[in-house]
């Protein structure tokens, strides 16, 4: 199988690019493992100082693969937790370049990036409640902390789709760029970060992220236990099935 997480490291920047364009970069369990490995590889490389996360033109990440949600046989929790913990534990700065949809975990992973740049075409959604499940990756706590409870409720309870400019207003995106400029801009910022004193960058990041007293890995575990329970519920399975069936031709009996 072709790699669906592309990894390159140059000039102190490890670039991780999701590459499953035919599914808008929806993440199945093997992809979670690939991303975790790639982050591990970056963490273990003393030359790497900064991580740059990206998708494909027109798709950052459409979230968890809903097909996987419907598969009773798989335990989604361990691979997803490995990914979350790997990203959260990366000590250097993480930059994200978001074009097209960033939905579900595609949006929540951004809360663990230090600088987020969005193309004007980017669209963000935290659709968990509308799917019959609950948020993950610390977002129930982090969104309210970052943009205020009322605004977080619009995102997490109403599940509103937010454009790039709205996300910038909410303080969840640093800058909105014309689509054609996104990648160069994000890479330029990643290179700038990689050229700075690495130890200081790590110390500042650790200080900024400390506080609140809540252990994120413990919160991740609690949330994922709930997600795993809720995704088996009738209401969630009805929504997943309806999504996957929505474009299939209607069967007719003659
Ligand atoms: N899981 C599984 N398949 C997905 C997916 C997901 N999260 N997101 C997209 N896909 C698939 C579509 O089913 C479609 O597959 P097909 O070509 O075999 O029919 C393909 O990716 C392209 O998606 P499509 O919906 O045709 O593209 P679009 O540009 O019209 O819309 C999205 C893109 C991302 C807005 C839309 O696909 C979407 O809403 N996806 C679901 C996102 C979601 O709820 N994720 C959260 C899960 S927790």
């Amino acid at each position: 199988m072709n790699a669906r997480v592309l990894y390159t490291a140059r000039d102190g920047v490890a670039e991780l690019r999701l590459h499953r364009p035919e599914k808008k970069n929806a993440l199945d369990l093997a992809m979670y493992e690939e991303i975790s490995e790639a982050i591990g590889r970056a963490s273990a490389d003393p030359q790497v100082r900064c991580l740059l996360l990206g998708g494909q033109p027109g798709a950052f990440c459409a979230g968890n693969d809903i097909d996987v949600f419907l598969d009773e046989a798989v335990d989604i929790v361990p691979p997803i937790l490995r990914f979350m913990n790997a990203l959260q534990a990366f000590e250097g700065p993480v930059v994200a370049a978001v074009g097209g949809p960033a939905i579900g975990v595609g949006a929540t992973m951004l809360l663990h990036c230090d600088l987020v740049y969005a193309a004007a075409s980017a669209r963000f959604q935290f659709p968990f409640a509308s799917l019959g499940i609950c948020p993950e990756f610390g977002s129930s706590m982090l969104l309210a902390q970052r943009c205020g409870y009322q605004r977080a409720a619009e995102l997490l309870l109403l599940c509103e789709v937010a454009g790039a400019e709205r996300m910038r207003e909410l303080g969840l995106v640093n800058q909105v760029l014309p689509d054609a400029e996104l990648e160069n801009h994000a890479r330029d910022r990643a290179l700038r970060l990689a050229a700075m004193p690495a130890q200081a960058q790590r110390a500042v990041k650790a200080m900024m992220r400390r506080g609140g007293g809540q252990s994120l890995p413990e919160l991740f575990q609690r949330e994922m236990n709930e997600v795993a329970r809720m995704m088996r519920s009738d209401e969630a399975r009805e929504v997943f099935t309806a999504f996957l069936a929505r474009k299939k031709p209607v069967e007719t009996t003659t």
Side-chain angles (χ1 to χ4, degrees), residues 191-238:
L191 287 167
R192 279 197 210 180
L193 290 163
M196 290 186 189
Q199 204 178 304
Q201 294 270 315
R202 290 172 185 203
V204 171
K205 175 168 172 166
M207 285 172 194
M208 287 170 69
R209 290 193 174 246
R210 209 174 294 135
Q214 172 102 250
S215 151
L216 278 175
E218 279 168 27
L219 181 59
F220 294 171
Q221 180 73 58
R222 275 208 310 282
E223 289 169 335
M224 285 311 300
N225 291 346
E226 280 298 287
V227 171
R229 186 183 62 75
M230 293 170 81
M231 61 186 261
R232 303 282 180 234
S233 70
D234 289 346
E235 66 175 16
R237 296 179 69 80
E238 221 173 89

Side-chain angles (χ1 to χ4, degrees), residues 12-15 48-52 90 92-95 189-191 193-194:
V13 176
E15 188 166 325
V48 169
R49 293 159 159 235
C50 176
L51 204 57
L52 173 59
F90 187 79
V94 181
V95 177
R189 294 305 187 272
L191 287 167
L193 290 163

Side-chain angles (χ1 to χ4, degrees), residues 28-29 56 60 68 78 134 147 151 187 192 196 223 228 245:
D28 61 17
L29 297 186
Q56 298 301 314
F60 179 69
V68 177
C134 65
C147 64
R151 292 178 174 134
R187 194 168 294 114
R192 279 197 210 180
M196 290 186 189
E223 289 169 335

Side-chain angles (χ1 to χ4, degrees), residues 4-69:
R4 293 175 311 162
V5 177
L6 310 178
Y7 181 93
T8 50
R10 200 180 324 147
D11 300 327
V13 176
E15 188 166 325
L16 258 89
R17 193 160 291 284
L18 304 178
H19 184 64
R20 195 190 181 198
E22 72 285 4
K23 293 287 177 188
K24 304 282 172 181
N25 288 335
L27 300 176
D28 61 17
L29 297 186
M31 279 178 91
Y32 279 112
E33 298 290 12
E34 278 185 66
I35 308 175
S36 306
E37 275 168 32
I39 297 172
R41 187 172 163 191
S43 301
D45 182 344
Q47 304 296 319
V48 169
R49 293 159 159 235
C50 176
L51 204 57
L52 173 59
L53 295 184
Q56 298 301 314
F60 179 69
C61 174
N64 284 299
D65 187 320
I66 293 176
D67 273 306
V68 177
F69 278 165

